[in-house]
Amino acid sequence: MARLDAATSCTRCELSLTRQRVVIGSGEVGAALVIVGEAPGRSEDEGGQPFIGRSGQLLFRLIGEEIGLTREECYVTNVVKCRPPKNRPPRVRELRACRIWWDLQLAQMSPRVIMTLGNTASRAVLGTDAKIGDIHGRVHEVDGRVVIPTYHPAAGLRAGPNVVDVMREDLRKIRQHLGTS
Ligand code: URA
């Protein structure tokens, strides 16, 4: 079986031809909260870490305010580890090719909650084609692990306070499951 550090030279899909960096994940492997996004954007492709651009700033402000955790106290990753050109949504074959790395990450972790962000990450982790609007804030169980989806922070940046308020509510539910409230 592949080891996670082999991901840094992965060529399992065509995103390897256009990426600058493979963005594997950052934070505490022992974290109680694991956060899973879609794929790196421009800032992440340049910086090599997930959620360091505008979406990440909003995300970690909300997590700080509603749960009281810092970025360093969480583990953060994406279901696709390389930036799709022009930030297009990852293709099914890219999601499939990249799955091995998420499976390896998860095998090393035992978080109390996995928070998925937006349609792509939530569908990939939950194995559903449901819409985020129908599944956010609900407690799901996958292989004995608690998964709670919320909106992607990019949707919060685009759509404004309505989505951000819903994200805050979802984060408060996550806080209850973490047992930090
Ligand atoms: N959007 C994502 O889904 N992931 C990142 O790491 C950055 C932006």
Side-chain angles (χ1 to χ4, degrees):
M1 185 160 204
R3 284 163 39 119
L4 189 55
D5 50 16
T8 52
S9 53
C10 179
T11 54
R12 293 172 58 85
C13 82
E14 64 270 32
L15 297 181
S16 62
L17 302 174
T18 50
R19 73 171 180 235
Q20 290 190 53
R21 308 250 211 134
V22 181
V23 181
I24 299 175
S26 71
E28 280 278 332
V29 174
L33 178 62
V34 168
I35 302 161
V36 191
E38 179 174 306
R42 182 194 294 275
S43 311
E44 293 78 19
D45 185 48
E46 286 169 1
Q49 299 217 8
F51 284 103
I52 53 174
R54 284 182 67 227
S55 288
Q57 280 160 23
L58 174 61
L59 176 67
F60 286 104
R61 180 162 64 78
L62 296 178
I63 290 175
E65 289 172 5
E66 300 299 341
I67 306 185
L69 291 175
T70 63
R71 156 189 280 276
E72 292 73 28
E73 290 170 318
C74 306
Y75 187 84
V76 198
T77 186
N78 287 297
V79 286
V80 166
K81 312 298 191 223
C82 297
R83 182 189 182 203
K86 300 187 180 148
N87 297 344
R88 64 157 170 76
R91 297 185 172 135
V92 171
R93 64 173 178 272
E94 294 159 356
L95 284 155
R96 285 202 187 123
C98 213
R99 176 77 197 202
I100 180 178
W101 306 122
W102 165 241
D103 287 341
L104 279 172
Q105 284 174 308
L106 198 53
Q108 294 179 2
M109 299 186 290
S110 37
R112 262 175 264 163
V113 177
I114 298 169
M115 173 169 76
T116 54
L117 303 172
N119 277 319
T120 303
S122 304
R123 289 171 175 168
V125 171
L126 294 172
T128 176
D129 56 7
K131 295 197 184 101
I132 191 66
D134 296 329
I135 58 175
H136 75 90
R138 301 225 189 115
V139 180
H140 302 256
E141 211 191 288
V142 180
D143 299 332
R145 297 174 188 270
V146 173
V147 180
I148 305 182
T150 190
Y151 285 89
H152 194 288
L157 289 173
R158 261 197 320 271
N162 291 348
V163 169
V164 170
D165 286 348
V166 176
M167 289 177 75
R168 284 186 186 278
E169 260 176 54
D170 294 345
L171 289 170
R172 289 196 283 272
K173 287 187 194 144
I174 290 170
R175 185 183 66 196
Q176 287 168 6
H177 277 269
L178 290 170
T180 49
S181 56

